[in-house]
PDB file of all heavy atoms in Angstrom:
ATOM      1  N   SER A 147       6.570  -0.693   2.199  1.00 91.00           N
ATOM      2  CA  SER A 147       5.143  -0.453   2.258  1.00 91.00           C
ATOM      3  C   SER A 147       4.323  -1.651   1.757  1.00 91.00           C
ATOM      4  O   SER A 147       3.264  -1.492   1.163  1.00 91.00           O
ATOM      5  CB  SER A 147       4.772   0.781   1.368  1.00 91.00           C
ATOM      6  OG  SER A 147       5.406   1.937   1.872  1.00 91.00           O
ATOM      7  N   GLY A 184       4.029   1.163 -12.778  1.00 97.00           N
ATOM      8  CA  GLY A 184       4.175   1.788 -11.486  1.00 97.00           C
ATOM      9  C   GLY A 184       4.948   3.094 -11.514  1.00 97.00           C
ATOM     10  O   GLY A 184       4.538   4.075 -10.884  1.00 97.00           O
ATOM     11  N   MET A 187       2.645   5.816 -12.949  1.00 97.00           N
ATOM     12  CA  MET A 187       1.666   6.288 -11.949  1.00 97.00           C
ATOM     13  C   MET A 187       2.316   7.175 -10.919  1.00 97.00           C
ATOM     14  O   MET A 187       1.752   8.209 -10.541  1.00 97.00           O
ATOM     15  CB  MET A 187       0.988   5.092 -11.254  1.00 97.00           C
ATOM     16  CG  MET A 187       0.141   4.241 -12.197  1.00 97.00           C
ATOM     17  SD  MET A 187      -0.539   2.771 -11.394  1.00 97.00           S
ATOM     18  CE  MET A 187      -1.877   3.516 -10.439  1.00 97.00           C
ATOM     19  N   LYS A 188       3.531   6.827 -10.500  1.00 95.00           N
ATOM     20  CA  LYS A 188       4.221   7.608  -9.456  1.00 95.00           C
ATOM     21  C   LYS A 188       4.793   8.881 -10.008  1.00 95.00           C
ATOM     22  O   LYS A 188       4.512   9.984  -9.496  1.00 95.00           O
ATOM     23  CB  LYS A 188       5.312   6.724  -8.857  1.00 95.00           C
ATOM     24  CG  LYS A 188       6.296   7.456  -7.943  1.00 95.00           C
ATOM     25  CD  LYS A 188       5.636   8.059  -6.737  1.00 95.00           C
ATOM     26  CE  LYS A 188       6.655   8.698  -5.781  1.00 95.00           C
ATOM     27  NZ  LYS A 188       6.032   9.485  -4.730  1.00 95.00           N
ATOM     28  N   ILE A 191       2.067  10.977 -12.709  1.00 95.00           N
ATOM     29  CA  ILE A 191       0.805  11.448 -12.128  1.00 95.00           C
ATOM     30  C   ILE A 191       0.937  11.881 -10.685  1.00 95.00           C
ATOM     31  O   ILE A 191       0.677  13.055 -10.349  1.00 95.00           O
ATOM     32  CB  ILE A 191      -0.283  10.346 -12.245  1.00 95.00           C
ATOM     33  CG1 ILE A 191      -0.487   9.895 -13.721  1.00 95.00           C
ATOM     34  CG2 ILE A 191      -1.612  10.854 -11.704  1.00 95.00           C
ATOM     35  CD1 ILE A 191      -1.490   8.812 -13.936  1.00 95.00           C
ATOM     36  N   ALA A 192       1.333  10.966  -9.801  1.00 95.00           N
ATOM     37  CA  ALA A 192       1.313  11.257  -8.364  1.00 95.00           C
ATOM     38  C   ALA A 192       2.219  12.424  -7.966  1.00 95.00           C
ATOM     39  O   ALA A 192       1.805  13.355  -7.281  1.00 95.00           O
ATOM     40  CB  ALA A 192       1.713  10.011  -7.571  1.00 95.00           C
ATOM     41  N   ASP A 193       3.468  12.415  -8.458  1.00 93.00           N
ATOM     42  CA  ASP A 193       4.405  13.490  -8.091  1.00 93.00           C
ATOM     43  C   ASP A 193       4.004  14.829  -8.689  1.00 93.00           C
ATOM     44  O   ASP A 193       4.259  15.886  -8.125  1.00 93.00           O
ATOM     45  CB  ASP A 193       5.822  13.122  -8.499  1.00 93.00           C
ATOM     46  CG  ASP A 193       6.451  12.085  -7.561  1.00 93.00           C
ATOM     47  OD1 ASP A 193       5.817  11.770  -6.529  1.00 93.00           O
ATOM     48  OD2 ASP A 193       7.553  11.621  -7.838  1.00 93.00           O
ATOM     49  N   ALA A 196       1.114  16.019  -6.588  1.00 93.00           N
ATOM     50  CA  ALA A 196       1.555  16.354  -5.235  1.00 93.00           C
ATOM     51  C   ALA A 196       1.931  17.814  -5.078  1.00 93.00           C
ATOM     52  O   ALA A 196       1.687  18.458  -4.038  1.00 93.00           O
ATOM     53  CB  ALA A 196       2.751  15.479  -4.846  1.00 93.00           C
ATOM     54  N   ILE A 223      -6.675  10.975  -6.435  1.00 98.00           N
ATOM     55  CA  ILE A 223      -5.904  10.344  -7.521  1.00 98.00           C
ATOM     56  C   ILE A 223      -4.443  10.190  -7.128  1.00 98.00           C
ATOM     57  O   ILE A 223      -3.824   9.152  -7.386  1.00 98.00           O
ATOM     58  CB  ILE A 223      -6.016  11.184  -8.818  1.00 98.00           C
ATOM     59  CG1 ILE A 223      -7.479  11.351  -9.229  1.00 98.00           C
ATOM     60  CG2 ILE A 223      -5.231  10.510  -9.928  1.00 98.00           C
ATOM     61  CD1 ILE A 223      -8.198  10.077  -9.517  1.00 98.00           C
ATOM     62  N   GLN A 224      -3.902  11.215  -6.456  1.00 97.00           N
ATOM     63  CA  GLN A 224      -2.494  11.166  -6.086  1.00 97.00           C
ATOM     64  C   GLN A 224      -2.167   9.979  -5.175  1.00 97.00           C
ATOM     65  O   GLN A 224      -1.206   9.248  -5.426  1.00 97.00           O
ATOM     66  CB  GLN A 224      -2.093  12.462  -5.346  1.00 97.00           C
ATOM     67  CG  GLN A 224      -0.602  12.474  -4.921  1.00 97.00           C
ATOM     68  CD  GLN A 224      -0.340  13.433  -3.776  1.00 97.00           C
ATOM     69  OE1 GLN A 224      -1.115  14.370  -3.519  1.00 97.00           O
ATOM     70  NE2 GLN A 224       0.760  13.244  -3.078  1.00 97.00           N
ATOM     71  N   ILE A 225      -2.930   9.796  -4.104  1.00 97.00           N
ATOM     72  CA  ILE A 225      -2.600   8.746  -3.163  1.00 97.00           C
ATOM     73  C   ILE A 225      -2.770   7.351  -3.801  1.00 97.00           C
ATOM     74  O   ILE A 225      -2.022   6.423  -3.507  1.00 97.00           O
ATOM     75  CB  ILE A 225      -3.444   8.883  -1.861  1.00 97.00           C
ATOM     76  CG1 ILE A 225      -2.844   7.954  -0.781  1.00 97.00           C
ATOM     77  CG2 ILE A 225      -4.913   8.584  -2.105  1.00 97.00           C
ATOM     78  CD1 ILE A 225      -3.412   8.177   0.597  1.00 97.00           C
ATOM     79  N   TYR A 226      -3.729   7.238  -4.712  1.00 97.00           N
ATOM     80  CA  TYR A 226      -3.897   5.974  -5.427  1.00 97.00           C
ATOM     81  C   TYR A 226      -2.688   5.699  -6.305  1.00 97.00           C
ATOM     82  O   TYR A 226      -2.092   4.600  -6.267  1.00 97.00           O
ATOM     83  CB  TYR A 226      -5.187   5.997  -6.237  1.00 97.00           C
ATOM     84  CG  TYR A 226      -5.292   4.821  -7.204  1.00 97.00           C
ATOM     85  CD1 TYR A 226      -5.189   3.523  -6.771  1.00 97.00           C
ATOM     86  CD2 TYR A 226      -5.502   5.046  -8.567  1.00 97.00           C
ATOM     87  CE1 TYR A 226      -5.278   2.442  -7.637  1.00 97.00           C
ATOM     88  CE2 TYR A 226      -5.610   3.990  -9.470  1.00 97.00           C
ATOM     89  CZ  TYR A 226      -5.487   2.706  -8.989  1.00 97.00           C
ATOM     90  OH  TYR A 226      -5.574   1.635  -9.883  1.00 97.00           O
ATOM     91  N   CYS A 227      -2.309   6.673  -7.135  1.00 97.00           N
ATOM     92  CA  CYS A 227      -1.195   6.461  -8.056  1.00 97.00           C
ATOM     93  C   CYS A 227       0.119   6.309  -7.288  1.00 97.00           C
ATOM     94  O   CYS A 227       1.018   5.575  -7.745  1.00 97.00           O
ATOM     95  CB  CYS A 227      -1.094   7.624  -9.035  1.00 97.00           C
ATOM     96  SG  CYS A 227      -2.452   7.655 -10.225  1.00 97.00           S
ATOM     97  N   ASP A 228       0.233   6.966  -6.168  1.00 95.00           N
ATOM     98  CA  ASP A 228       1.433   6.855  -5.343  1.00 95.00           C
ATOM     99  C   ASP A 228       1.576   5.443  -4.769  1.00 95.00           C
ATOM    100  O   ASP A 228       2.614   4.776  -4.922  1.00 95.00           O
ATOM    101  CB  ASP A 228       1.398   7.874  -4.220  1.00 95.00           C
ATOM    102  CG  ASP A 228       2.682   7.984  -3.451  1.00 95.00           C
ATOM    103  OD1 ASP A 228       2.967   7.104  -2.607  1.00 95.00           O
ATOM    104  OD2 ASP A 228       3.430   8.927  -3.699  1.00 95.00           O
ATOM    105  N   PHE A 229       0.529   4.978  -4.099  1.00 96.00           N
ATOM    106  CA  PHE A 229       0.594   3.699  -3.391  1.00 96.00           C
ATOM    107  C   PHE A 229       0.473   2.520  -4.351  1.00 96.00           C
ATOM    108  O   PHE A 229       1.215   1.541  -4.236  1.00 96.00           O
ATOM    109  CB  PHE A 229      -0.482   3.636  -2.302  1.00 96.00           C
ATOM    110  CG  PHE A 229      -0.225   2.566  -1.281  1.00 96.00           C
ATOM    111  CD1 PHE A 229       0.984   1.913  -1.191  1.00 96.00           C
ATOM    112  CD2 PHE A 229      -1.216   2.200  -0.386  1.00 96.00           C
ATOM    113  CE1 PHE A 229       1.204   0.910  -0.208  1.00 96.00           C
ATOM    114  CE2 PHE A 229      -1.028   1.244   0.575  1.00 96.00           C
ATOM    115  CZ  PHE A 229       0.183   0.593   0.646  1.00 96.00           C
ATOM    116  N   ALA A 230      -0.436   2.595  -5.314  1.00 97.00           N
ATOM    117  CA  ALA A 230      -0.553   1.547  -6.297  1.00 97.00           C
ATOM    118  C   ALA A 230       0.717   1.503  -7.158  1.00 97.00           C
ATOM    119  O   ALA A 230       1.156   0.430  -7.594  1.00 97.00           O
ATOM    120  CB  ALA A 230      -1.803   1.745  -7.179  1.00 97.00           C
ATOM    121  N   GLY A 231       1.274   2.688  -7.457  1.00 96.00           N
ATOM    122  CA  GLY A 231       2.520   2.729  -8.225  1.00 96.00           C
ATOM    123  C   GLY A 231       3.623   2.058  -7.491  1.00 96.00           C
ATOM    124  O   GLY A 231       4.392   1.237  -8.077  1.00 96.00           O
ATOM    125  N   TYR A 232       3.751   2.305  -6.166  1.00 96.00           N
ATOM    126  CA  TYR A 232       4.734   1.609  -5.342  1.00 96.00           C
ATOM    127  C   TYR A 232       4.507   0.093  -5.422  1.00 96.00           C
ATOM    128  O   TYR A 232       5.459  -0.678  -5.611  1.00 96.00           O
ATOM    129  CB  TYR A 232       4.637   2.046  -3.895  1.00 96.00           C
ATOM    130  CG  TYR A 232       5.393   1.127  -2.936  1.00 96.00           C
ATOM    131  CD1 TYR A 232       6.722   1.403  -2.639  1.00 96.00           C
ATOM    132  CD2 TYR A 232       4.816  -0.038  -2.423  1.00 96.00           C
ATOM    133  CE1 TYR A 232       7.430   0.512  -1.827  1.00 96.00           C
ATOM    134  CE2 TYR A 232       5.516  -0.898  -1.632  1.00 96.00           C
ATOM    135  CZ  TYR A 232       6.828  -0.640  -1.327  1.00 96.00           C
ATOM    136  OH  TYR A 232       7.539  -1.498  -0.527  1.00 96.00           O
ATOM    137  N   SER A 233       3.265  -0.335  -5.249  1.00 97.00           N
ATOM    138  CA  SER A 233       2.954  -1.771  -5.227  1.00 97.00           C
ATOM    139  C   SER A 233       3.304  -2.432  -6.575  1.00 97.00           C
ATOM    140  O   SER A 233       3.830  -3.537  -6.593  1.00 97.00           O
ATOM    141  CB  SER A 233       1.477  -1.982  -4.912  1.00 97.00           C
ATOM    142  OG  SER A 233       1.185  -1.504  -3.616  1.00 97.00           O
ATOM    143  N   PHE A 234       3.030  -1.751  -7.668  1.00 97.00           N
ATOM    144  CA  PHE A 234       3.359  -2.302  -8.991  1.00 97.00           C
ATOM    145  C   PHE A 234       4.865  -2.438  -9.141  1.00 97.00           C
ATOM    146  O   PHE A 234       5.347  -3.460  -9.669  1.00 97.00           O
ATOM    147  CB  PHE A 234       2.788  -1.392 -10.093  1.00 97.00           C
ATOM    148  CG  PHE A 234       1.346  -1.662 -10.420  1.00 97.00           C
ATOM    149  CD1 PHE A 234       0.559  -2.494  -9.641  1.00 97.00           C
ATOM    150  CD2 PHE A 234       0.766  -1.093 -11.534  1.00 97.00           C
ATOM    151  CE1 PHE A 234      -0.768  -2.742  -9.943  1.00 97.00           C
ATOM    152  CE2 PHE A 234      -0.555  -1.322 -11.864  1.00 97.00           C
ATOM    153  CZ  PHE A 234      -1.345  -2.155 -11.054  1.00 97.00           C
ATOM    154  N   ILE A 235       5.615  -1.440  -8.700  1.00 97.00           N
ATOM    155  CA  ILE A 235       7.079  -1.513  -8.803  1.00 97.00           C
ATOM    156  C   ILE A 235       7.608  -2.646  -7.936  1.00 97.00           C
ATOM    157  O   ILE A 235       8.503  -3.408  -8.321  1.00 97.00           O
ATOM    158  CB  ILE A 235       7.748  -0.198  -8.400  1.00 97.00           C
ATOM    159  CG1 ILE A 235       7.295   0.926  -9.366  1.00 97.00           C
ATOM    160  CG2 ILE A 235       9.269  -0.315  -8.457  1.00 97.00           C
ATOM    161  CD1 ILE A 235       7.687   2.322  -8.890  1.00 97.00           C
ATOM    162  N   PHE A 251      -3.711  -3.519  -5.240  1.00 97.00           N
ATOM    163  CA  PHE A 251      -4.725  -2.581  -5.753  1.00 97.00           C
ATOM    164  C   PHE A 251      -5.286  -3.117  -7.033  1.00 97.00           C
ATOM    165  O   PHE A 251      -4.542  -3.562  -7.916  1.00 97.00           O
ATOM    166  CB  PHE A 251      -4.139  -1.187  -5.969  1.00 97.00           C
ATOM    167  CG  PHE A 251      -3.681  -0.513  -4.717  1.00 97.00           C
ATOM    168  CD1 PHE A 251      -2.434  -0.737  -4.193  1.00 97.00           C
ATOM    169  CD2 PHE A 251      -4.534   0.355  -4.048  1.00 97.00           C
ATOM    170  CE1 PHE A 251      -2.030  -0.145  -3.016  1.00 97.00           C
ATOM    171  CE2 PHE A 251      -4.151   0.966  -2.891  1.00 97.00           C
ATOM    172  CZ  PHE A 251      -2.891   0.714  -2.348  1.00 97.00           C
ATOM    173  N   GLU A 455       8.880  13.084  -4.528  1.00 50.00           N
ATOM    174  CA  GLU A 455       8.068  12.972  -3.319  1.00 50.00           C
ATOM    175  C   GLU A 455       8.227  11.586  -2.724  1.00 50.00           C
ATOM    176  O   GLU A 455       8.174  10.572  -3.387  1.00 50.00           O
ATOM    177  CB  GLU A 455       6.582  13.170  -3.686  1.00 50.00           C
ATOM    178  CG  GLU A 455       6.251  14.611  -4.047  1.00 50.00           C
ATOM    179  CD  GLU A 455       6.288  15.516  -2.840  1.00 50.00           C
ATOM    180  OE1 GLU A 455       5.817  15.095  -1.756  1.00 50.00           O
ATOM    181  OE2 GLU A 455       6.791  16.641  -2.976  1.00 50.00           O
ATOM    182  N   GLN A 456       8.426  11.548  -1.412  1.00 56.00           N
ATOM    183  CA  GLN A 456       8.509  10.272  -0.723  1.00 56.00           C
ATOM    184  C   GLN A 456       7.180   9.548  -0.881  1.00 56.00           C
ATOM    185  O   GLN A 456       6.123  10.133  -0.850  1.00 56.00           O
ATOM    186  CB  GLN A 456       8.753  10.567   0.774  1.00 56.00           C
ATOM    187  CG  GLN A 456       8.682   9.313   1.665  1.00 56.00           C
ATOM    188  CD  GLN A 456       8.950   9.679   3.107  1.00 56.00           C
ATOM    189  OE1 GLN A 456      10.053   9.936   3.476  1.00 56.00           O
ATOM    190  NE2 GLN A 456       7.903   9.702   3.909  1.00 56.00           N
ATOM    191  N   PHE A 457       7.261   8.235  -1.076  1.00 57.00           N
ATOM    192  CA  PHE A 457       6.020   7.466  -1.187  1.00 57.00           C
ATOM    193  C   PHE A 457       5.209   7.663   0.098  1.00 57.00           C
ATOM    194  O   PHE A 457       5.724   7.598   1.208  1.00 57.00           O
ATOM    195  CB  PHE A 457       6.319   5.978  -1.359  1.00 57.00           C
ATOM    196  CG  PHE A 457       6.702   5.602  -2.748  1.00 57.00           C
ATOM    197  CD1 PHE A 457       8.058   5.553  -3.124  1.00 57.00           C
ATOM    198  CD2 PHE A 457       5.760   5.282  -3.710  1.00 57.00           C
ATOM    199  CE1 PHE A 457       8.404   5.180  -4.408  1.00 57.00           C
ATOM    200  CE2 PHE A 457       6.088   4.930  -4.975  1.00 57.00           C
ATOM    201  CZ  PHE A 457       7.432   4.877  -5.363  1.00 57.00           C
ATOM    202  N   ILE A 458       3.947   8.018  -0.078  1.00 57.00           N
ATOM    203  CA  ILE A 458       3.101   8.405   1.047  1.00 57.00           C
ATOM    204  C   ILE A 458       3.087   7.366   2.162  1.00 57.00           C
ATOM    205  O   ILE A 458       3.191   7.675   3.329  1.00 57.00           O
ATOM    206  CB  ILE A 458       1.665   8.668   0.555  1.00 57.00           C
ATOM    207  CG1 ILE A 458       1.661   9.951  -0.352  1.00 57.00           C
ATOM    208  CG2 ILE A 458       0.707   8.899   1.734  1.00 57.00           C
ATOM    209  CD1 ILE A 458       0.364  10.218  -1.066  1.00 57.00           C
ATOM    210  N   TYR A 459       3.003   6.068   1.776  1.00 56.00           N
ATOM    211  CA  TYR A 459       2.837   5.044   2.762  1.00 56.00           C
ATOM    212  C   TYR A 459       4.134   4.659   3.470  1.00 56.00           C
ATOM    213  O   TYR A 459       4.137   3.810   4.358  1.00 56.00           O
ATOM    214  CB  TYR A 459       2.150   3.817   2.173  1.00 56.00           C
ATOM    215  CG  TYR A 459       0.650   3.832   2.360  1.00 56.00           C
ATOM    216  CD1 TYR A 459      -0.143   4.748   1.715  1.00 56.00           C
ATOM    217  CD2 TYR A 459       0.063   2.981   3.265  1.00 56.00           C
ATOM    218  CE1 TYR A 459      -1.511   4.758   1.893  1.00 56.00           C
ATOM    219  CE2 TYR A 459      -1.303   3.016   3.499  1.00 56.00           C
ATOM    220  CZ  TYR A 459      -2.089   3.916   2.783  1.00 56.00           C
ATOM    221  OH  TYR A 459      -3.438   3.938   3.020  1.00 56.00           O
ATOM    222  N   MET A 460       5.272   5.301   3.083  1.00 54.00           N
ATOM    223  CA  MET A 460       6.521   5.076   3.819  1.00 54.00           C
ATOM    224  C   MET A 460       6.396   5.512   5.258  1.00 54.00           C
ATOM    225  O   MET A 460       7.005   4.960   6.147  1.00 54.00           O
ATOM    226  CB  MET A 460       7.678   5.815   3.157  1.00 54.00           C
ATOM    227  CG  MET A 460       8.311   5.130   1.987  1.00 54.00           C
ATOM    228  SD  MET A 460       9.778   5.981   1.396  1.00 54.00           S
ATOM    229  CE  MET A 460      10.897   5.727   2.796  1.00 54.00           C
TER     230      MET A 460
END
Side-chain angles (χ1 to χ4, degrees):
S147 299
M187 295 175 77
K188 169 62 176 171
I191 303 179
D193 283 354
I223 303 299
Q224 179 202 340
I225 193 170
Y226 169 54
C227 290
D228 189 283
F229 197 12
Y232 167 91
S233 296
F234 276 11
I235 299 169
F251 294 85
E455 289 289 319
Q456 173 179 286
F457 281 93
I458 292 172
Y459 266 70
M460 278 187 68

